[in-house]
Amino acid sequence: METLQMQPSPLTLEEMYGQFHKLIYHIAYTMTKDAHLSQDIVQETFLKAYIRMDTLLDVTKAKSWLTSIARCTTIDFIRKESKRNEVYMEADEEVQSIQDNNPLEIEIEARFLKSSIQENIKRLPLSQQEVMSLKVIQDLSDGEIALKLNLSPSTVKTRFHRGRKQLYSIVYAQTA
């Protein structure tokens, strides 16, 4: 006698939500550490799942399919958030420069900022310290730094961007 293998019945979006929304929230929260953003990511994940429901070929793999969508969605949100923060910082810098019309105050703030940056550069890894010092303090171009340190220009750029990001974290942690 032949045994028929029962194909699992497809899950509805409501069933998937009921089963996996806590897992999706956990993934998002683990990556963002932001409860409200994580809730938005859960909604966006299930919206994407609804739109792409036809790509779920094996219902038994719904969990891994959803977690994959959740991770990608979380990364997208993190990227958008970091770009938004950069735009806000640039806008704040422009407003600040418009408000500060006193050249003496500007000079004092610039010296203080430069001193603070020089002090905090010393807290970076050595490879980043070299690049940051040459770029920020000596005002060398990426090409000049690459020649001086015998590195490729792309390595210089990478070290500078990583150093700048870490320097921002250090300064931000001091002010928080």
Side-chain angles (χ1 to χ4, degrees), residues 76-87 165:
D76 289 345
F77 268 74
I78 291 169
R79 285 183 184 144
K80 285 178 193 172
E81 200 63 28
S82 68
K83 285 181 183 177
R84 188 175 299 133
N85 287 339
E86 285 177 17
V87 169
K165 188 175 184 178

Side-chain angles (χ1 to χ4, degrees), residues 89-132:
M89 284 179 55
E90 289 171 7
D92 287 345
E93 290 168 1
E94 289 174 14
V95 168
Q96 188 66 33
S97 67
I98 291 169
Q99 290 174 347
D100 293 337
N101 291 327
N102 187 339
L104 182 59
E105 286 180 23
I106 294 171
E107 179 71 25
I108 292 169
E109 286 180 19
R111 286 185 184 177
F112 178 78
L113 181 61
K114 188 172 184 179
S115 169
S116 175
I117 290 171
Q118 288 172 345
E119 280 300 314
N120 287 311
I121 285 175
K122 295 174 187 170
R123 298 174 66 191
L124 296 173
L126 188 58
S127 62
Q128 292 173 359
Q129 280 183 32
E130 294 173 316
V131 172
M132 293 296 288

Side-chain angles (χ1 to χ4, degrees), residues 1-47:
M1 179 167 211
E2 270 185 52
T3 57
L4 294 173
Q5 280 197 333
M6 296 293 289
Q7 182 74 11
S9 64
L11 293 172
T12 65
L13 190 65
E14 291 81 15
E15 291 170 329
M16 275 196 249
Y17 182 83
Q19 271 187 293
F20 302 117
H21 77 278
K22 288 180 182 175
L23 173 66
I24 303 303
Y25 177 85
H26 177 74
I27 290 168
Y29 187 79
T30 301
M31 293 173 74
T32 64
K33 303 292 188 241
D34 183 320
H36 297 292
L37 187 59
S38 297
Q39 291 169 350
D40 291 344
I41 291 168
V42 170
Q43 290 179 1
E44 184 72 19
T45 299
F46 282 98
L47 177 64

Side-chain angles (χ1 to χ4, degrees), residues 134 140-153 156:
L134 293 171
L140 297 180
S141 70
D142 291 349
E144 292 169 325
I145 296 170
L147 287 173
K148 190 167 188 152
L149 297 178
N150 197 25
L151 299 170
S152 72
V156 170

